[in-house]
Amino acid sequence: MGQSSADLANAAPGSWPLGRALAQLAGAFVLAENAQGLVVVDMHAAHERIVYERLKTTMAQAEMPAQPLLIPATFAATPTEVATAEAATEALAALGLEVTPLSPGVLAVRSMPAALPDADPVALARAVLADLAEGGPDEARHLVQRARDELLATMACHGAVRANRQLTLAEMNALLRDMERTDRADQCNHGRPTWRQVTLKELDGLFLRGR
């Protein structure tokens, strides 16, 4: 069973790496106390990383689903693109893509990765075909993975808690615990830090204590 709000409020500051939540500042930061001193958390950046890692884990556990296109996207293809599309149907399908010959020198994109609804079908298909022709299925998977990661980052940003939302102490503590369980929780998806430590020694120095 999880701990109650009272348990969290009464726990010693050193019980968890990121400590115990104390308050929210300016609608954007969570202040917490740990064994080293004060922890300042950018709540949106931290939650964005948590949501992103959850989305990535969920998608990694399943095959990439395909979304059929209502109207196939067609393009004039090179002989290499046509040959690659015909030879790599399984690799394309594993990536959620169906690219088939429509007529001599013309390919049709009939399905797209469902995780990339805003991607340009022709641009994605041609890029994947180029990587398949040059480096094989692994290179193509890396290309789609990069595009998918960018989409997940956008989804995570929109799904994360927004600035100026008032959190309860229980919600702040839940955020801190989620951060402790999340990979790379010290940085958001854009590379910004999600939290900073201000040690007791640094706080003493600010107030000239011990001099």
Side-chain angles (χ1 to χ4, degrees):
M1 294 179 62
Q3 291 177 294
S4 68
S5 298
D7 291 334
L8 290 169
N10 295 327
S15 300
W16 302 284
L18 293 179
R20 175 187 63 192
L22 300 175
Q24 189 174 358
L25 177 66
F29 302 99
V30 170
L31 306 181
E33 179 187 9
N34 67 358
Q36 289 73 44
L38 178 68
V39 173
V40 183
V41 176
D42 181 331
M43 66 184 199
H44 173 76
H47 195 228
E48 184 179 338
R49 168 58 73 181
I50 292 166
V51 173
Y52 173 77
E53 293 296 335
R54 285 176 179 169
L55 285 171
K56 192 166 70 170
T57 298
T58 298
M59 294 194 71
Q61 292 172 346
E63 293 184 358
M64 190 176 295
Q67 176 63 52
L69 298 180
L70 187 61
I71 301 175
T74 62
F75 62 97
T78 66
T80 298
E81 288 173 330
V82 173
T84 303
E86 291 176 333
T89 54
E90 290 186 7
L92 289 167
L95 298 171
L97 279 166
E98 182 183 1
V99 184
T100 60
L102 183 66
S103 62
V106 177
L107 289 175
V109 184
R110 300 186 182 278
S111 69
M112 286 274 293
L116 302 173
D118 297 324
D120 182 308
V122 172
L124 180 62
R126 299 195 81 160
V128 170
L129 288 171
D131 278 358
L132 279 169
E134 181 177 350
D138 287 341
E139 285 300 316
R141 288 191 181 93
H142 293 159
L143 173 79
V144 175
Q145 183 64 52
R146 288 195 299 273
R148 185 172 68 174
D149 286 348
E150 290 177 4
L151 174 67
L152 292 183
T154 299
M155 293 169 61
C157 184
H158 287 281
V161 63
R162 312 305 295 182
N164 296 318
R165 177 187 161 188
Q166 295 301 309
L167 302 182
T168 65
L169 279 175
E171 288 173 326
M172 294 181 222
N173 278 308
L175 175 65
L176 296 174
R177 304 293 78 80
D178 282 343
M179 289 174 65
E180 291 164 353
R181 291 189 291 264
T182 300
D183 291 338
R184 296 177 289 279
D186 58 334
Q187 285 190 340
C188 77
N189 307 329
H190 311 293
R192 295 188 294 108
T194 58
W195 67 280
R196 292 294 194 192
Q197 176 79 61
V198 183
T199 67
L200 290 171
K201 183 177 180 180
E202 290 170 328
L203 289 171
D204 284 342
L206 289 174
F207 294 95
L208 306 180
R209 289 170 57 88
R211 294 189 181 182

